[in-house]
Amino acid sequence: MGSLLHITNGDCFTQRLNTLKLKGDVITWREMLCEGKTLNNVGSESFWKTRFEFLNKHYRVSKSSFIEKTLKEYRSLCNHKQQNKIVLWFEYDLFCQVNMLAIISWLKNNRKYAEISLVCSGKVNETDKLFGLNELSDEQLLKLYETRKVLTQDDIEYADYVWQLYCSDNPIRLENLSDFKNYQFDYLQDAVNVHLHRFPSIKNGLNDMENNILQLSLDKKPKSRVELLKTILGNQGLLGFGDTQYERAITRLKPLFASFNPVKLTLKGKNIFDAKTNYYSHIQQEGIYLGGALKYNFLFNNKTDRILKL
């Protein structure tokens, strides 16, 4: 059988996985590499220094909290050297897929001897709805586990390659990928596409996520900021973001709101949403990264579905 190690996508699922009583130790990957600058050398001193600086600046994560929650768990992963079978538990969304790529890149360099397999939740049967791991029954999780995909060396090399591109300073390289179907990552192509739509659009200077926040504000007419946040979380597509990430986005868009009780856009906010005016020069900030690329150094052309470098 060989010794087993499970790497999960977060604390909530780690708790759930422990109730399934599967053999093996469990490590939780506590990061959100879909936001902020990333370096391709996962686990290096410069990698963690860059991540801490981002989390400290934008989410007020203290050094002690970062060490306790993230680095301690990473060191535990480093110390688990004897397991020759490693199972990754991740989901279909961008948040999970980016973390998954980083971990596979690390395993490629540090656990060459291990068999790596992937349990990835998403579609169940023929329904269009995509499910997170915690939305599945124990029976469904065990079935996913039994039918998990053992990654080939080609799969591992490809995941590492996509990670290198994600960390590069030019997202156009990611845009040119076209061979996803040759590898065992069912949701990676959609996640990469969602990532590319996070660059500001030519039409109004806001990206897909920011435009979605304005659209939900207009369409759903939330009664409060709390209700707006709940509405966004339930209608976010394939991003997989949490409330703290959306709180930051709402704050960024605050000048476009006349009120949050109830939620109302200003006339300027409506005009920007309707692409009658452009918000790029107002929302543009220095030093904001998506992977290795500066967010505001590129524009997304919705008509051609292509990225343009400024």
Side-chain angles (χ1 to χ4, degrees):
M1 177 68 187
S3 53
L4 263 170
L5 176 67
H6 301 272
I7 302 176
T8 74
N9 66 334
D11 290 288
C12 286
F13 185 68
T14 292
Q15 291 171 11
R16 177 76 186 285
L17 186 60
N18 286 329
T19 68
L20 295 179
K21 305 242 180 327
L22 296 175
K23 287 181 180 176
D25 294 341
V26 182
I27 297 281
T28 308
W29 182 258
R30 295 195 185 111
E31 247 291 7
M32 42 183 264
L33 298 171
C34 58
E35 269 209 89
K37 189 174 185 180
T38 58
L39 303 181
N40 59 12
N41 51 347
V42 181
S44 67
E45 193 175 330
S46 57
F47 174 87
W48 289 122
K49 183 174 183 288
T50 299
R51 293 307 300 163
F52 171 68
E53 285 170 356
F54 165 74
L55 293 166
N56 176 254
K57 181 178 179 180
H58 295 286
Y59 289 98
R60 296 177 185 170
V61 172
S62 67
K63 199 165 194 175
S64 59
S65 175
F66 185 69
I67 290 168
E68 185 63 32
K69 289 184 175 173
T70 302
L71 286 188
K72 195 180 263 189
E73 201 72 356
Y74 170 69
R75 285 171 190 150
S76 179
L77 172 60
C78 293
N79 292 332
H80 279 76
K81 292 176 183 173
Q82 72 279 18
Q83 284 90 349
N84 57 11
K85 289 180 185 287
I86 298 171
V87 184
L88 309 179
W89 296 81
F90 285 88
E91 298 177 4
Y92 60 87
D93 55 64
L94 176 71
F95 189 109
C96 263
Q97 293 288 298
V98 173
N99 283 340
M100 176 195 78
L101 292 174
I103 291 164
I104 294 174
S105 178
W106 185 87
L107 292 170
K108 172 183 173 280
N109 294 319
N110 296 279
R111 296 292 182 270
K112 294 183 192 297
Y113 54 82
E115 175 194 278
I116 302 165
S117 56
L118 175 64
V119 179
C120 194
S121 71
K123 284 189 177 176
V124 176
N125 301 323
E126 298 305 310
T127 61
D128 288 335
K129 178 175 161 53
L130 295 165
F131 292 84
L133 289 166
N134 272 322
E135 294 179 284
L136 300 176
S137 67
D138 288 0
E139 188 182 358
Q140 287 171 317
L141 284 173
L142 291 169
K143 187 179 177 183
L144 264 185
Y145 177 63
E146 285 159 16
T147 57
R148 64 192 180 277
K149 295 180 176 181
V150 176
L151 301 183
T152 66
Q153 190 58 37
D154 281 351
D155 292 326
I156 292 163
E157 296 280 355
Y158 187 69
D160 178 56
Y161 177 59
V162 179
W163 171 250
Q164 306 301 319
L165 295 186
Y166 180 81
C167 296
S168 81
D169 62 2
N170 189 347
I172 293 168
R173 295 171 191 162
L174 263 182
E175 183 179 70
N176 292 328
L177 281 173
S178 60
D179 51 354
F180 293 98
K181 289 180 173 61
N182 298 332
Y183 304 94
Q184 298 189 85
F185 304 107
D186 295 340
Y187 306 103
L188 187 54
Q189 184 170 7
D190 287 340
V192 167
N193 191 38
V194 167
H195 166 62
L196 295 173
H197 281 78
R198 294 195 296 160
F199 290 91
S201 69
I202 285 178
K203 64 177 185 177
N204 66 359
L206 301 182
N207 66 15
D208 266 20
M209 181 190 78
E210 291 154 351
N211 277 306
N212 188 45
I213 290 170
L214 298 190
Q215 180 157 19
L216 291 171
S217 301
L218 289 166
D219 293 351
K220 304 292 185 183
K221 298 179 172 52
K223 303 277 193 297
S224 65
R225 186 167 173 148
V226 171
E227 194 178 313
L228 172 62
L229 187 59
K230 193 175 175 183
T231 303
I232 295 165
L233 288 167
N235 296 274
Q236 63 167 318
L238 300 177
L239 285 167
F241 286 4
D243 51 2
T244 51
Q245 289 167 295
Y246 280 115
E247 280 286 5
R248 188 170 160 234
I250 293 167
T251 300
R252 191 162 65 239
L253 297 171
K254 198 174 178 183
L256 305 184
F257 286 89
S259 157
F260 284 112
N261 289 295
V263 174
K264 284 184 182 176
L265 295 184
T266 61
L267 179 59
K268 184 179 181 180
K270 290 175 185 173
N271 285 338
I272 287 163
F273 178 70
D274 291 333
K276 291 176 182 174
T277 185
N278 199 295
Y279 201 54
Y280 177 87
S281 61
H282 299 280
I283 200 168
Q284 187 261 344
Q285 280 180 279
E286 297 294 322
I288 303 297
Y289 282 85
L290 297 172
L294 283 161
K295 178 179 178 181
Y296 292 102
N297 277 9
F298 299 88
L299 289 175
F300 190 85
N301 186 336
N302 298 77
K303 288 180 181 174
T304 60
D305 265 358
R306 303 293 290 178
I307 295 265
L308 301 171
K309 190 177 192 315
L310 286 174

